[in-house]
Amino acid sequence: MIMGKVFCDQIRVIEWRKSCDYNLDNHFDIWRIYIPDHLDMLDHLSDTLSEEELNRFNNYKDTEDRNRHLLARYFVRKISSDYLKVDPNSFEIDYLENNKPYFKYYPHFNFNISHSGDYIVIGFANRWSVGVDIEFMNSQLDLYDMIINCMSNYEISMILNSEAPRAVFFKHWTRKESLLKGVGLGLTDRIKDVACVDGLNLIPSDLSSFASSWKIWSFEMGEYCVSIAHDSAVRIIRFYQL
């Protein structure tokens, strides 16, 4: 049986740059956007987003959720246009079977979006699929059922015996999410079988359609936990603050 190989580790220190050359090569570029800094743009998004996108997100009942989705879609277009040197209005977004978005006429340009609370995180890569996930580590949320239902037995033991169980849970949860988004599976009812502990993890063959090995890196931003996943062929990861 061929098992998918996933190596997980943590990043302790990150330099968030403010200047980008917009040359991806074989890089994996991570961008973070602090939503409160850009709320004044909401009234001008109709110049860039399609009518379908505006209607879709304007129907959200929760205002903060609506704003996150609108700004995330705007910034993925804006930043992508700088990489591809095209008009941001020229992008036509389509969806894969698992609802993963992509640019219809730029199939080799890959991006992945995640947002939570006050932050949006977007990952970009040329040729290589990538996945990102950010979660606000809500101290009021009861995690017990999610720990039991979504974590492997080893992960459950690690989380419940940790001095910081909430942080350890979110580290493993964002790793699973970023990997599944990156390889194009989406969430699965067998998420317990996708172990993402530090070091090497073997994923069952029926859940690992990826031929090469993957790497996942985790880090914290204050009350947020972030994980980024990429094919091991990617050699350089760069971090940018919009």
Side-chain angles (χ1 to χ4, degrees), residues 137 143 147 151 155-175 196 220 225:
M137 294 186 285
L143 299 176
I147 293 171
M151 299 292 154
E155 289 172 318
I156 292 172
S157 177
M158 288 184 61
I159 293 168
L160 296 182
N161 291 301
S162 168
E163 294 182 357
R166 187 168 297 271
V168 177
F169 166 79
F170 278 106
K171 178 179 72 172
H172 288 264
W173 175 257
T174 57
R175 285 177 175 179
C196 291
E220 292 186 7
C225 183

Side-chain angles (χ1 to χ4, degrees), residues 43-107:
D43 294 333
H44 309 287
L45 298 188
S46 58
D47 296 336
T48 302
L49 300 185
S50 68
E51 184 176 352
E52 182 274 332
E53 287 172 310
L54 290 170
N55 290 336
R56 177 181 179 186
F57 297 132
N58 280 331
N59 287 330
Y60 281 41
K61 294 181 180 179
D62 183 85
T63 301
E64 291 185 356
D65 198 32
R66 166 189 172 273
N67 293 345
R68 279 191 289 267
H69 279 84
L70 284 170
L71 288 172
R73 188 56 63 87
Y74 167 78
F75 281 116
V76 78
R77 285 176 175 272
K78 176 63 176 68
I79 299 171
S80 296
S81 72
D82 291 327
Y83 281 114
L84 295 170
K85 308 298 188 290
V86 297
D87 188 324
N89 296 307
S90 67
F91 294 122
E92 184 175 342
I93 292 182
D94 208 342
Y95 297 87
L96 301 175
E97 290 182 3
N98 65 352
N99 210 33
K100 183 178 181 179
Y102 72 98
F103 291 137
K104 189 172 182 179
Y105 300 111
Y106 301 91

Side-chain angles (χ1 to χ4, degrees), residues 124-141:
F124 297 92
N126 189 25
R127 299 186 302 275
W128 308 110
S129 293
V130 293
V132 300
D133 192 58
I134 179 171
E135 297 288 346
F136 174 63
M137 294 186 285
N138 189 343
S139 61
Q140 306 301 315
L141 187 64

Side-chain angles (χ1 to χ4, degrees), residues 155-205:
E155 289 172 318
I156 292 172
S157 177
M158 288 184 61
I159 293 168
L160 296 182
N161 291 301
S162 168
E163 294 182 357
R166 187 168 297 271
V168 177
F169 166 79
F170 278 106
K171 178 179 72 172
H172 288 264
W173 175 257
T174 57
R175 285 177 175 179
K176 292 171 189 272
E177 282 260 29
S178 64
L179 175 65
L180 293 172
K181 290 169 69 178
V183 300
L185 288 176
L187 284 178
T188 170
D189 56 5
R190 290 184 53 196
I191 197 168
K192 287 173 69 76
D193 296 330
V194 182
C196 291
V197 301
D198 288 352
L200 178 64
N201 299 267
L202 299 178
I203 311 298
S205 56

